Amino acid sequence: MLEKVISLLQDSTIQVPKILLTNYKTLKLSDQEFIFVLYLLNTNHVLNPKQIAADLSLELPTIFEMISNLETKDLVKIETYQNKNIREEALNFDGLYDKLAFLIVNGKTEKPDKTNLFDLFEKQFGRPLSPMEYEIINGWKEVNFEEELIVLALKEAAYNGVNNLRYIDKILYEWKKKGIRSKEDVEREKQAFKQVKEAPKTELFDYDWLNDHE
């Protein structure tokens, strides 16, 4: 399924409402259900389980289960209509839109973080993030990388002249291997490195973590 999802997200015609992207967990959607909803929102909403299963590389029982779950969560409902004397079914997403509108009106939308983490990345990159980049950043948070550490890794990459998530991901996992969990840990590691290597004093973010071969 992963390859299908990547292909879907890379399609330039696919639109992802930011309010849904940053709040699908609040709506209690699983990652798989989120991709399913995203797929349907970018179609004509006609319910064709066999076609959906083929496009997303899923089994039919999984498709039916997700539809049932979305109905239970009051996010969609199935409607029937006649198309040239053929009875067809479509998914109505009014429930989903109502819940998203409620979150906006009541100021209960889930912020990426207190310092608007996604906006920091977009400002540094000089462009909007892609849906896949949003997912990667959310993935870091889900595996318990602290927001402070993610921001520090972003700054490290910027000071080394690199603006891509792959480089930042390598920095984060290098820190994880070294047991670095905070800004203080980053500073201590740099001080230790400078002492061992007898390097001249540098600015905090001049140290290239990925080329540290001790």
Side-chain angles (χ1 to χ4, degrees):
M1 180 182 180
L2 181 59
E3 291 181 358
K4 290 284 187 180
V5 170
I6 292 173
S7 176
L8 178 67
L9 292 175
Q10 288 177 335
D11 186 338
S12 60
T13 64
I14 294 295
Q15 299 296 316
V16 187
K18 187 172 182 180
I19 182 66
L20 175 60
L21 185 63
T22 56
N23 286 276
Y24 76 93
K25 293 291 188 182
T26 302
L27 297 175
K28 302 188 185 304
L29 290 173
S30 68
D31 292 344
Q32 190 176 62
E33 288 169 343
F34 168 70
I35 295 297
F36 180 61
V37 170
L38 174 62
Y39 169 89
L40 290 171
L41 288 176
N42 284 274
T43 66
N44 57 9
H45 298 191
V46 173
L47 183 58
N48 186 336
K50 289 184 179 180
Q51 184 62 52
I52 297 170
D55 287 346
L56 297 181
S57 298
L58 294 172
E59 299 294 330
L60 269 176
T62 301
I63 300 298
F64 291 128
E65 180 182 359
M66 286 196 291
I67 293 172
S68 176
N69 289 343
L70 294 176
E71 287 185 292
T72 300
K73 294 170 184 176
D74 198 26
L75 298 175
V76 303
K77 62 180 179 180
I78 298 176
E79 297 181 337
T80 59
Y81 63 96
Q82 293 293 124
N83 182 17
K84 297 180 180 178
N85 296 323
I86 300 176
R87 182 175 176 274
E88 294 186 351
E89 295 181 325
L91 291 176
N92 182 319
F93 282 91
D94 287 349
L96 171 65
Y97 293 129
D98 286 346
K99 289 182 184 297
L100 291 175
F102 177 83
L103 291 175
I104 294 172
V105 170
N106 291 276
K108 294 182 180 180
T109 57
E110 180 180 302
K111 303 296 182 183
D113 51 61
K114 292 182 180 178
T115 56
N116 210 338
L117 185 59
F118 295 154
D119 285 350
L120 286 176
F121 274 84
E122 290 184 338
K123 182 178 180 180
Q124 179 58 48
F125 288 4
R127 60 170 174 77
L129 294 173
S130 70
M132 184 60 70
E133 286 172 326
Y134 272 101
E135 287 302 295
I136 291 172
I137 294 170
N138 274 326
W140 291 335
K141 296 171 70 175
E142 289 175 1
V143 296
N144 299 321
F145 282 117
E146 294 293 335
E147 170 193 322
E148 178 185 53
L149 210 61
I150 296 173
V151 173
L152 284 172
L154 171 63
K155 291 180 179 179
E156 286 284 350
Y159 273 89
N160 284 298
V162 183
N163 282 336
N164 67 68
L165 296 192
R166 180 176 297 179
Y167 187 86
I168 295 169
D169 187 69
K170 290 179 179 179
I171 290 174
L172 286 171
Y173 280 93
E174 182 67 21
W175 284 350
K176 184 177 182 180
K177 288 193 299 182
K178 292 175 177 287
I180 295 172
R181 299 179 180 276
S182 67
K183 181 177 180 179
E184 290 73 22
D185 291 340
V186 171
E187 292 174 344
R188 279 194 293 269
E189 180 70 14
K190 286 190 172 184
Q191 289 300 322
F193 177 82
K194 286 189 288 187
Q195 290 174 6
V196 172
K197 300 295 184 180
E198 297 182 348
K201 186 175 181 180
T202 59
E203 293 295 325
L204 175 62
F205 296 108
D206 286 343
Y207 173 40
D208 186 349
W209 293 93
L210 302 188
N211 293 318
D212 169 15
H213 301 293
E214 297 186 21

PDB file of all heavy atoms in Angstrom, residues 38-50:
ATOM      1  N   LEU A  38      -8.848  10.803   2.119  1.00  0.00           N
ATOM      2  CA  LEU A  38      -8.144  11.667   1.167  1.00  0.00           C
ATOM      3  C   LEU A  38      -8.400  11.214  -0.267  1.00  0.00           C
ATOM      4  O   LEU A  38      -8.660  12.036  -1.153  1.00  0.00           O
ATOM      5  CB  LEU A  38      -6.643  11.637   1.470  1.00  0.00           C
ATOM      6  CG  LEU A  38      -5.716  12.371   0.509  1.00  0.00           C
ATOM      7  CD1 LEU A  38      -6.032  13.855   0.483  1.00  0.00           C
ATOM      8  CD2 LEU A  38      -4.252  12.149   0.905  1.00  0.00           C
ATOM      9  N   TYR A  39      -8.331   9.920  -0.483  1.00  0.00           N
ATOM     10  CA  TYR A  39      -8.590   9.353  -1.815  1.00  0.00           C
ATOM     11  C   TYR A  39     -10.003   9.699  -2.281  1.00  0.00           C
ATOM     12  O   TYR A  39     -10.217  10.177  -3.392  1.00  0.00           O
ATOM     13  CB  TYR A  39      -8.395   7.838  -1.764  1.00  0.00           C
ATOM     14  CG  TYR A  39      -8.867   7.090  -2.989  1.00  0.00           C
ATOM     15  CD1 TYR A  39      -8.017   6.872  -4.068  1.00  0.00           C
ATOM     16  CD2 TYR A  39     -10.171   6.601  -3.057  1.00  0.00           C
ATOM     17  CE1 TYR A  39      -8.456   6.184  -5.192  1.00  0.00           C
ATOM     18  CE2 TYR A  39     -10.619   5.916  -4.178  1.00  0.00           C
ATOM     19  CZ  TYR A  39      -9.763   5.713  -5.239  1.00  0.00           C
ATOM     20  OH  TYR A  39     -10.206   5.032  -6.349  1.00  0.00           O
ATOM     21  N   LEU A  40     -10.984   9.482  -1.399  1.00  0.00           N
ATOM     22  CA  LEU A  40     -12.373   9.696  -1.777  1.00  0.00           C
ATOM     23  C   LEU A  40     -12.701  11.167  -2.013  1.00  0.00           C
ATOM     24  O   LEU A  40     -13.475  11.509  -2.897  1.00  0.00           O
ATOM     25  CB  LEU A  40     -13.301   9.132  -0.693  1.00  0.00           C
ATOM     26  CG  LEU A  40     -13.335   7.608  -0.590  1.00  0.00           C
ATOM     27  CD1 LEU A  40     -14.113   7.173   0.638  1.00  0.00           C
ATOM     28  CD2 LEU A  40     -13.953   6.994  -1.848  1.00  0.00           C
ATOM     29  N   LEU A  41     -12.090  12.052  -1.218  1.00  0.00           N
ATOM     30  CA  LEU A  41     -12.352  13.480  -1.382  1.00  0.00           C
ATOM     31  C   LEU A  41     -11.849  13.996  -2.726  1.00  0.00           C
ATOM     32  O   LEU A  41     -12.295  15.047  -3.190  1.00  0.00           O
ATOM     33  CB  LEU A  41     -11.698  14.274  -0.247  1.00  0.00           C
ATOM     34  CG  LEU A  41     -12.344  14.139   1.133  1.00  0.00           C
ATOM     35  CD1 LEU A  41     -11.535  14.899   2.168  1.00  0.00           C
ATOM     36  CD2 LEU A  41     -13.793  14.643   1.103  1.00  0.00           C
ATOM     37  N   ASN A  42     -10.917  13.269  -3.325  1.00  0.00           N
ATOM     38  CA  ASN A  42     -10.365  13.690  -4.609  1.00  0.00           C
ATOM     39  C   ASN A  42     -10.934  12.880  -5.769  1.00  0.00           C
ATOM     40  O   ASN A  42     -10.359  12.824  -6.846  1.00  0.00           O
ATOM     41  CB  ASN A  42      -8.840  13.591  -4.579  1.00  0.00           C
ATOM     42  CG  ASN A  42      -8.205  14.717  -3.798  1.00  0.00           C
ATOM     43  OD1 ASN A  42      -7.944  15.791  -4.324  1.00  0.00           O
ATOM     44  ND2 ASN A  42      -7.977  14.500  -2.501  1.00  0.00           N
ATOM     45  N   THR A  43     -12.069  12.239  -5.516  1.00  0.00           N
ATOM     46  CA  THR A  43     -12.799  11.545  -6.584  1.00  0.00           C
ATOM     47  C   THR A  43     -14.196  12.156  -6.642  1.00  0.00           C
ATOM     48  O   THR A  43     -14.500  13.131  -5.963  1.00  0.00           O
ATOM     49  CB  THR A  43     -12.897  10.040  -6.300  1.00  0.00           C
ATOM     50  OG1 THR A  43     -13.717   9.832  -5.133  1.00  0.00           O
ATOM     51  CG2 THR A  43     -11.512   9.443  -6.058  1.00  0.00           C
ATOM     52  N   ASN A  44     -15.072  11.529  -7.416  1.00  0.00           N
ATOM     53  CA  ASN A  44     -16.452  12.022  -7.494  1.00  0.00           C
ATOM     54  C   ASN A  44     -17.329  11.450  -6.385  1.00  0.00           C
ATOM     55  O   ASN A  44     -18.546  11.597  -6.416  1.00  0.00           O
ATOM     56  CB  ASN A  44     -17.061  11.698  -8.856  1.00  0.00           C
ATOM     57  CG  ASN A  44     -17.023  10.196  -9.151  1.00  0.00           C
ATOM     58  OD1 ASN A  44     -16.706   9.385  -8.285  1.00  0.00           O
ATOM     59  ND2 ASN A  44     -17.338   9.836 -10.380  1.00  0.00           N
ATOM     60  N   HIS A  45     -16.709  10.792  -5.405  1.00  0.00           N
ATOM     61  CA  HIS A  45     -17.381  10.238  -4.221  1.00  0.00           C
ATOM     62  C   HIS A  45     -18.229   9.008  -4.541  1.00  0.00           C
ATOM     63  O   HIS A  45     -18.917   8.492  -3.654  1.00  0.00           O
ATOM     64  CB  HIS A  45     -18.256  11.278  -3.510  1.00  0.00           C
ATOM     65  CG  HIS A  45     -17.496  12.447  -2.971  1.00  0.00           C
ATOM     66  ND1 HIS A  45     -18.065  13.377  -2.121  1.00  0.00           N
ATOM     67  CD2 HIS A  45     -16.222  12.852  -3.139  1.00  0.00           C
ATOM     68  CE1 HIS A  45     -17.178  14.307  -1.812  1.00  0.00           C
ATOM     69  NE2 HIS A  45     -16.047  13.995  -2.418  1.00  0.00           N
ATOM     70  N   VAL A  46     -18.236   8.571  -5.781  1.00  0.00           N
ATOM     71  CA  VAL A  46     -18.973   7.353  -6.111  1.00  0.00           C
ATOM     72  C   VAL A  46     -18.346   6.181  -5.375  1.00  0.00           C
ATOM     73  O   VAL A  46     -17.123   6.030  -5.356  1.00  0.00           O
ATOM     74  CB  VAL A  46     -18.964   7.093  -7.629  1.00  0.00           C
ATOM     75  CG1 VAL A  46     -19.575   5.734  -7.945  1.00  0.00           C
ATOM     76  CG2 VAL A  46     -19.734   8.193  -8.343  1.00  0.00           C
ATOM     77  N   LEU A  47     -19.179   5.382  -4.769  1.00  0.00           N
ATOM     78  CA  LEU A  47     -18.685   4.254  -3.979  1.00  0.00           C
ATOM     79  C   LEU A  47     -18.524   3.028  -4.875  1.00  0.00           C
ATOM     80  O   LEU A  47     -19.490   2.381  -5.250  1.00  0.00           O
ATOM     81  CB  LEU A  47     -19.654   3.955  -2.825  1.00  0.00           C
ATOM     82  CG  LEU A  47     -19.231   2.842  -1.869  1.00  0.00           C
ATOM     83  CD1 LEU A  47     -17.868   3.161  -1.255  1.00  0.00           C
ATOM     84  CD2 LEU A  47     -20.271   2.656  -0.770  1.00  0.00           C
ATOM     85  N   ASN A  48     -17.269   2.735  -5.192  1.00  0.00           N
ATOM     86  CA  ASN A  48     -16.934   1.570  -6.003  1.00  0.00           C
ATOM     87  C   ASN A  48     -15.858   0.793  -5.256  1.00  0.00           C
ATOM     88  O   ASN A  48     -14.664   0.976  -5.493  1.00  0.00           O
ATOM     89  CB  ASN A  48     -16.426   2.006  -7.376  1.00  0.00           C
ATOM     90  CG  ASN A  48     -16.188   0.837  -8.313  1.00  0.00           C
ATOM     91  OD1 ASN A  48     -15.973  -0.294  -7.863  1.00  0.00           O
ATOM     92  ND2 ASN A  48     -16.204   1.089  -9.605  1.00  0.00           N
ATOM     93  N   PRO A  49     -16.261  -0.047  -4.306  1.00  0.00           N
ATOM     94  CA  PRO A  49     -15.296  -0.734  -3.441  1.00  0.00           C
ATOM     95  C   PRO A  49     -14.201  -1.487  -4.192  1.00  0.00           C
ATOM     96  O   PRO A  49     -13.045  -1.470  -3.780  1.00  0.00           O
ATOM     97  CB  PRO A  49     -16.173  -1.691  -2.626  1.00  0.00           C
ATOM     98  CG  PRO A  49     -17.517  -1.029  -2.607  1.00  0.00           C
ATOM     99  CD  PRO A  49     -17.650  -0.383  -3.948  1.00  0.00           C
ATOM    100  N   LYS A  50     -14.553  -2.143  -5.296  1.00  0.00           N
ATOM    101  CA  LYS A  50     -13.552  -2.908  -6.040  1.00  0.00           C
ATOM    102  C   LYS A  50     -12.474  -1.991  -6.629  1.00  0.00           C
ATOM    103  O   LYS A  50     -11.280  -2.298  -6.581  1.00  0.00           O
ATOM    104  CB  LYS A  50     -14.215  -3.719  -7.148  1.00  0.00           C
ATOM    105  CG  LYS A  50     -15.052  -4.897  -6.630  1.00  0.00           C
ATOM    106  CD  LYS A  50     -15.613  -5.715  -7.784  1.00  0.00           C
ATOM    107  CE  LYS A  50     -16.420  -6.907  -7.274  1.00  0.00           C
ATOM    108  NZ  LYS A  50     -16.988  -7.719  -8.386  1.00  0.00           N
TER     109      LYS A  50
END
